[in-house]
Amino acid sequence: MLDATPPRTRPANAPADHPAVTRPKVGILLANLGTPDHYSYWPMRRYLNEFLSDRRVIDYPRWKWQPLLQLIILTKRPFSSGKNYKSIWNEDLNESPLMTLTKAQTAAVAAKMQARYGDQVMVDFSMRYGNPSTKSKVRAMTEAGCRKILFFPLYPHYAGATSATANDAFFRALMDEPWQPTARVVDPYFEHPQYIEALAQSVERAYAAKAEKPEMLVVSYHGMPKRYLMQGDPYHCQCQKTTRLLRERLGWDKTQITTTFQSVFGPEEWLKPYTVKEVARLAEEEGKKRIAVIAPAFSADCIETLEEINEEIRESFEHAGGEEFTYIPCLNDDAAHIDALSSVIESNLHGWLD
């Protein structure tokens, strides 16, 4: 996505010994959570160490958390997490599905942006954890002549452990730039009409392909400790609004759709209901034989959807007596999703590029 050797010229009216500079551009930097470089032990350990050492993710006191992390968790978890990653790994490209999909999303967005703005823009992506790092991509963009950078965390909903920590990494990267570019950060887009439309279309396609329609759509979001909500994090409310807007767009009543939360970690209470328990309850207590699950908080399929939802949560439903489990993929590089992302970007470029 970046120019390998951006052209440099001496500014007009500058003295002969003035260094050459690149022609100014606007950088559009997409950002996702991240991925290990491989599912083997040491790459997994490096990735998990970076992720679980982030104070936005685990906010326990360092003196209490780090010994537990370094001496216990990181001696065992790289094996179990690596096994899960191996089950979904893109062996052909030797990368995780999240990396493959983020590359595809970036290429599709870049094509849209360049068709509209030409060589005035440069589109690339970074990862909060692992590679390519936010710092490396900010540096590459500034070296390529980006005097303005629009930073776009690919999280529809704001949360401290996702959007905020991505922004933290971006702002830290800016601190190291000798000539700091002007910067903007994209707001969460959980209620953007085109995003809701893209979600609705994905549900309609999945249901149309079924001879017997699912009896319940489970809208599963990544979880967070309940105390974050009580401290003012808006994530829970934004998730609930996405579900409501999706239901209204589909024209359904409340009995056909429910909101749940997955990926619980640690001993404290997280946002409820937990997806893995709720799908079992739907089968056991409500007699639901057919359900579908969608995960709107993830812009691209990853370990939490391909392994956790499509394997662990599916097993919970089937073990409880459920018969047909349909996982509706993330929006990924679907055309309607790319249109939605592009629309969000264009609105944020107003005043920079019109």
Side-chain angles (χ1 to χ4, degrees), residues 71-109:
L71 299 178
I72 299 176
I73 295 173
L74 291 180
T75 60
K76 299 179 180 180
R77 187 156 178 175
F79 291 109
S80 59
S81 294
K83 181 180 179 181
N84 292 339
Y85 268 98
K86 184 177 181 179
S87 72
I88 64 167
W89 200 254
N90 184 339
E91 295 288 357
D92 291 338
L93 297 176
N94 192 27
E95 61 189 22
S96 74
L98 178 63
M99 180 65 74
T100 303
L101 291 167
T102 303
K103 287 177 178 178
Q105 290 173 327
T106 304
V109 169

Side-chain angles (χ1 to χ4, degrees), residues 15 33 230 281:
L33 180 75
M230 307 312 293
R281 191 194 69 80

Side-chain angles (χ1 to χ4, degrees), residues 5-295:
T5 55
R8 293 173 177 266
T9 58
R10 183 168 59 85
N13 304 314
D17 62 350
H18 191 287
V21 297
T22 54
R23 185 161 61 87
K25 294 184 178 183
V26 173
I28 301 166
L29 185 57
L30 310 179
N32 216 319
L33 180 75
T35 170
D37 294 327
H38 195 258
Y39 52 75
S40 54
Y41 178 81
W42 287 109
M44 283 301 315
R45 180 173 178 127
R46 285 193 298 272
Y47 174 74
L48 290 171
N49 183 49
E50 184 180 9
F51 175 51
L52 296 175
S53 293
D54 186 346
R55 293 278 295 159
R56 293 275 195 181
V57 175
I58 305 292
D59 64 352
Y60 300 149
R62 289 184 61 83
W63 65 266
K64 180 185 295 185
W65 174 244
Q66 280 298 318
L68 177 64
L69 176 64
Q70 301 299 329
L71 299 178
I72 299 176
I73 295 173
L74 291 180
T75 60
K76 299 179 180 180
R77 187 156 178 175
F79 291 109
S80 59
S81 294
K83 181 180 179 181
N84 292 339
Y85 268 98
K86 184 177 181 179
S87 72
I88 64 167
W89 200 254
N90 184 339
E91 295 288 357
D92 291 338
L93 297 176
N94 192 27
E95 61 189 22
S96 74
L98 178 63
M99 180 65 74
T100 303
L101 291 167
T102 303
K103 287 177 178 178
Q105 290 173 327
T106 304
V109 169
K112 288 271 189 182
M113 294 299 101
Q114 288 161 1
R116 175 159 183 174
Y117 302 113
D119 61 2
Q120 298 179 87
V121 299
M122 178 178 298
V123 181
D124 210 339
F125 76 94
S126 64
M127 297 294 188
R128 172 60 184 88
Y129 312 105
N131 297 304
S133 69
T134 305
K135 180 179 176 63
S136 70
K137 291 300 184 176
V138 168
R139 174 57 52 86
M141 281 190 161
T142 58
E143 289 180 346
C146 293
R147 301 304 323 133
K148 298 179 174 69
I149 297 179
L150 178 66
F151 185 65
F152 190 176
L154 292 176
Y155 305 111
H157 312 80
Y158 176 91
T162 54
S163 309
T165 190
N167 293 340
D168 291 344
F170 178 57
F171 298 141
R172 282 194 295 268
L174 293 177
M175 291 172 63
D176 293 332
E177 291 306 310
W179 185 0
Q180 199 173 62
T182 301
R184 288 178 179 171
V185 174
V186 174
D187 280 341
Y189 56 99
F190 64 96
E191 57 185 346
H192 193 282
Q194 287 178 261
Y195 163 68
I196 299 299
E197 179 63 25
L199 288 175
Q201 289 179 17
S202 71
V203 173
E204 289 170 340
R205 285 194 300 270
Y207 275 50
K210 295 292 180 181
E212 290 188 275
K213 302 295 186 287
E215 301 164 272
M216 177 70 74
L217 176 64
V218 177
V219 188
S220 180
Y221 298 89
H222 198 287
M224 68 158 49
K226 183 179 178 180
R227 64 186 169 86
Y228 289 12
L229 166 63
M230 307 312 293
Q231 292 168 356
D233 194 300
Y235 177 74
H236 178 268
C237 299
Q238 293 180 0
C239 293
Q240 295 287 357
K241 187 167 186 179
T242 292
T243 299
R244 176 175 64 79
L245 292 174
L246 175 60
R247 177 178 61 79
E248 291 173 354
R249 160 57 182 80
L250 291 169
W252 293 358
D253 62 47
K254 294 180 180 179
T255 64
Q256 296 172 280
I257 189 169
T258 188
T259 296
T260 63
F261 298 90
Q262 63 182 86
S263 306
V264 176
F265 176 80
E268 64 181 304
E269 181 181 1
W270 282 43
L271 298 177
K272 291 182 176 179
Y274 300 148
T275 305
V276 69
K277 293 183 178 180
E278 181 63 11
V279 297
R281 191 194 69 80
L282 289 171
E284 291 176 342
E285 299 181 16
E286 296 194 16
K288 303 295 185 187
K289 298 300 182 182
R290 303 180 307 279
I291 67 169
V293 179
I294 190 172

